[in-house]
Amino acid sequence: MQQTVVDTSIKAKLGLIKESRIGTVSSDPYLGSPTFDEVPFHVDTGRRPSLGTYVIIERDTEDFVHYGRIIKGTEDNPRANPSSLQQNLAYQVGNKDSRPNDRSPHVTRVMATELLGEIHLNHNGSLEIKEPNQLAQTGKGVYELPADRIPEILNIPDSPDGGFYIGRVESGNSSVEFILPMEAIARHIAIVGKTGVGKSYCVGVCIEELERHQIPIVAFDVLGDTINATEKLGGLNFRAGKDFRIPYSVIGLSEFMGFVPNLTLDQSEIVSFAYDVVFSKALKSLEETGKVDISINEIIEEIQKVAGDFGQKAVGTRAAKKVEAAFKRNPLLTTKTESWLDELADRPILNIFVGHLGQNSRNLIVGGTARMLQTLRKRDRVPPFVFILDEAHFFLPAGGETTPSTFVIRELIRTARHDAIGVILITQSPSSMDKQVILTCNTRVVFALDPDDLRLVSGTMGDIAEETVSRIPKLAKGTAIISSATDIMRHPALIKIRRHQKITHGAPTPNLAEEVNKWQEQNQIF
């Protein structure tokens, strides 16, 4: 009886077959030779590997291969040089077709692979992935890696149960789901790209995935992109100043003083002392009860008390009137925590629209909310949640510009993971944003960017080849490069963002001609 011979080589373990061979490692003084960073290979006749294809490079041993990704290529054909082509046209001599087919002996196609690492087959049959340590060998076969092995190469989950299904990784003519590991959200995500490339659509995908894993979301929406998603998922939409306000006692001294105009120097000093007392009381109340309820009369009384201690009762009376009038005029402030805070545990998403506000008012709302939520989270009074901030460059500007509100937001991002708070920042202008904040976000989703923004971001993207970086400005809409810390995701990867499954996209690019016609019809202008 004939026995079946089992192939125990690493190529068999990886599912490599004869038909998946695409070329042979080559060496040439002009086209390059293998290095520890890049491996050129001659493309086999009839094979057409695509840019970005993941490949395996065999060696003279059965338990060790290299792996990499195609980053560039060239085809050499001396019969297609401009001089030869011109002579053929002028004298009607030579071959009419300078490239009859792939088998033409004068046609040479060479591609280059970015060397990413090594795969070793252990004695127990398991695979171990290591950094490149050995040179690739010339004359050895290059194979297209089956797409279903890519998650193992990238060190990401192979099932949506283990993370967030963001899109698909393509390799050659096949693709596989890209699942961002669960750990990524706790160490923060930055989504960057110029206008109209798919950032807000990607945020919608992230929101769907957070909802699927039952992780609550608090989103601050500048452009209205998240309103539809919130409705579809059963969340609550708020409009700052209408049904979303924050207690005046938690916003911080500078912000509070900014709302009280025309205070004299003496009045400012008295109000500052009084507000510090109220502010401390509010934070203590938040920590102990999870609520704040400090009437405006309390700070008025504190102002009068401080003024009396200073022997300036008349000054205190005038200051108190200004504070009371300013509070009544401001729609963003209230005296106590509102019901929206109780909804965080029961709703998948709370979306606060702040697009109608000036930037100072936006900072106040976002900073005050961040302070309250982080204080409550430290005491376990609210569940772990994800904080989404749209147009983050407005709130966290570059150049060291800092207000107490922006300081609170920076501190939230810097310390949030210790309190089980995840952060997603979205910006179309990373060069206008605090670089340290971008660096704090371990995971970056990079869509097409302009050169100035690309220069800032490219240095934060891990082991990505220069050739890949140079193509970022031309990335197609809905395509992004995702990179992360190596313990979360081993290598950056080009991802096609998946389609929405539950929600509708909130920010399509308008057709201005159609919008003008619609407006004219509605207003009966002909």
Side-chain angles (χ1 to χ4, degrees):
M1 182 176 178
Q2 187 176 6
Q3 290 185 333
T4 302
V5 178
V6 179
D7 188 348
T8 59
S9 70
I10 191 169
K11 288 195 294 184
K13 184 81 172 178
L14 291 170
L16 305 182
I17 57 177
K18 182 179 179 181
E19 289 74 19
S20 62
R21 179 165 175 152
I22 57 175
T24 305
V25 177
S26 60
S27 175
D28 183 90
Y30 301 105
L31 299 177
S33 298
T35 70
F36 288 108
D37 301 308
E38 196 172 293
V39 178
F41 68 94
H42 173 263
V43 180
D44 284 352
T45 300
R47 303 313 305 268
R48 289 179 168 78
S50 304
L51 183 67
T53 297
Y54 288 81
V55 300
I56 293 294
I57 303 167
E58 68 179 356
R59 294 182 61 84
D60 56 3
T61 176
E62 295 295 314
D63 60 358
F64 167 29
V65 293
H66 285 100
Y67 70 93
R69 185 167 43 203
I70 296 175
I71 56 171
K72 61 183 178 181
T74 183
E75 178 172 292
D76 182 57
N77 183 354
R79 293 187 182 178
N81 71 69
S83 179
S84 297
L85 293 174
Q86 178 61 27
Q87 289 176 19
N88 291 345
L89 289 172
Y91 303 120
Q92 297 296 305
V93 297
N95 295 316
K96 293 182 179 180
D97 187 352
S98 61
R99 191 191 190 285
N101 53 56
D102 283 354
R103 293 184 179 275
S104 302
H106 50 277
V107 174
T108 304
R109 290 185 301 151
V110 175
M111 293 188 177
T113 295
E114 171 193 12
L115 194 60
L116 296 176
E118 301 173 354
I119 306 176
H120 294 258
L121 180 63
N122 294 325
H123 295 301
N124 61 4
S126 64
L127 296 177
E128 183 179 2
I129 297 176
K130 300 180 179 180
E131 293 184 0
N133 187 49
Q134 298 290 318
L135 275 175
Q137 297 170 323
T138 56
K140 297 301 178 182
V142 178
Y143 296 79
E144 183 176 319
L145 178 70
D148 60 3
R149 305 305 302 232
I150 293 176
E152 189 174 6
I153 293 295
L154 297 179
N155 192 32
I156 61 174
D158 57 6
S159 164
D161 293 338
F164 307 102
Y165 170 32
I166 303 298
R168 300 191 72 84
V169 187
E170 293 189 342
S171 181
N173 296 318
S174 58
S175 65
V176 66
E177 290 180 347
F178 175 82
I179 312 297
L180 186 65
M182 193 73 73
E183 296 83 358
I185 192 65
R187 286 162 63 179
H188 312 333
I189 298 172
I191 301 176
V192 305
K194 56 188 177 182
T195 303
V197 295
K199 296 188 305 299
S200 60
Y201 197 96
C202 179
V203 173
V205 170
C206 293
I207 288 173
E208 284 188 338
E209 289 298 295
L210 290 167
E211 187 268 344
R212 181 171 66 84
H213 285 288
Q214 299 183 330
I215 300 173
I217 303 164
V218 176
F220 285 92
D221 189 358
V222 174
L223 302 177
D225 294 344
T226 314
I227 293 174
N228 290 340
T230 301
E231 292 176 353
K232 287 283 186 180
L233 296 176
L236 290 177
N237 279 305
F238 298 93
R239 185 179 178 90
K242 180 182 179 183
D243 48 11
F244 187 95
R245 298 176 297 174
I246 56 175
Y248 77 92
S249 53
V250 301
I251 63 175
L253 176 61
S254 294
E255 271 71 5
F256 181 77
M257 297 296 285
F259 280 102
V260 186
N262 304 321
L263 289 174
T264 66
L265 186 61
D266 288 342
Q267 289 171 349
S268 295
E269 188 175 5
I270 291 170
V271 173
S272 297
F273 274 104
Y275 186 83
D276 280 341
V277 173
V278 170
F279 182 67
S280 298
K281 182 178 179 180
L283 292 186
K284 183 178 180 181
S285 177
L286 262 183
E287 291 176 354
E288 293 179 352
T289 69
K291 304 287 184 182
V292 171
D293 188 358
I294 299 178
S295 71
I296 195 66
N297 288 333
E298 290 198 42
I299 192 170
I300 297 300
E301 292 172 2
E302 192 63 37
I303 289 171
Q304 292 170 339
K305 179 178 180 298
V306 172
D309 292 342
F310 285 180
Q312 294 183 316
K313 287 187 176 181
V315 175
T317 299
R318 289 192 292 272
K321 288 181 179 179
K322 290 181 180 180
V323 167
E324 186 173 16
F327 174 79
K328 290 179 178 178
R329 286 196 306 268
N330 195 298
L332 302 176
L333 301 179
T334 184
T335 58
K336 58 185 178 181
T337 46
E338 295 185 320
S339 60
W340 63 264
L341 204 53
D342 299 322
E343 300 285 356
L344 184 58
D346 301 321
R347 299 281 185 160
I349 177 171
L350 305 182
N351 182 55
I352 302 98
F353 179 68
V354 296
H356 58 297
L357 302 177
Q359 192 55 44
N360 287 339
S361 295
R362 292 175 187 170
N363 288 345
L364 180 144
I365 284 287
V366 176
T369 306
R371 177 181 280 123
M372 282 198 300
L373 289 174
Q374 189 166 25
T375 300
L376 294 172
R377 181 70 208 112
K378 286 178 183 294
R379 298 289 179 172
D380 206 29
R381 294 188 177 277
V382 295
F385 65 93
V386 171
F387 184 90
I388 298 180
L389 185 59
D390 187 21
E391 301 293 332
H393 53 282
F394 289 143
F395 300 90
L396 300 159
E401 182 182 338
T402 301
T403 67
S405 289
T406 58
F407 177 78
V408 169
I409 301 169
R410 282 185 172 92
E411 282 298 293
L412 171 71
I413 294 166
R414 189 177 66 84
T415 63
R417 73 184 184 94
H418 302 292
D419 301 317
I421 300 172
V423 177
I424 298 178
L425 303 177
I426 307 103
T427 179
Q428 60 180 288
S429 183
S431 62
S432 301
M433 189 172 160
D434 186 336
K435 183 177 180 180
Q436 194 59 44
V437 170
I438 294 178
L439 292 174
T440 304
C441 297
N442 276 196
T443 300
R444 294 143 201 132
V445 183
V446 180
F447 289 86
L449 279 171
D450 292 324
D452 286 346
D453 291 315
L454 180 58
R455 276 192 288 272
L456 174 72
V457 173
S458 60
T460 69
M461 297 178 66
D463 62 344
I464 185 169
E466 291 182 8
E467 290 82 1
T468 304
V469 172
S470 68
R471 296 187 186 100
I472 289 177
K474 297 179 285 187
L475 286 177
K477 183 177 181 179
T479 303
I481 293 175
I482 299 182
S483 65
S484 192
T486 54
D487 62 319
I488 294 176
M489 179 180 166
R490 189 174 283 117
H491 306 290
L494 185 69
I495 310 298
K496 285 197 172 181
I497 306 300
R498 70 163 174 82
R499 298 189 66 82
H500 289 167
Q501 297 173 340
K502 293 184 178 181
I503 66 176
T504 54
H505 184 38
T509 300
N511 181 314
L512 289 184
E514 291 179 0
E515 294 297 320
V516 170
N517 289 334
K518 188 187 301 182
W519 182 87
Q520 290 175 337
E521 290 175 2
Q522 291 172 347
N523 291 274
Q524 297 182 345
I525 297 176
F526 302 101

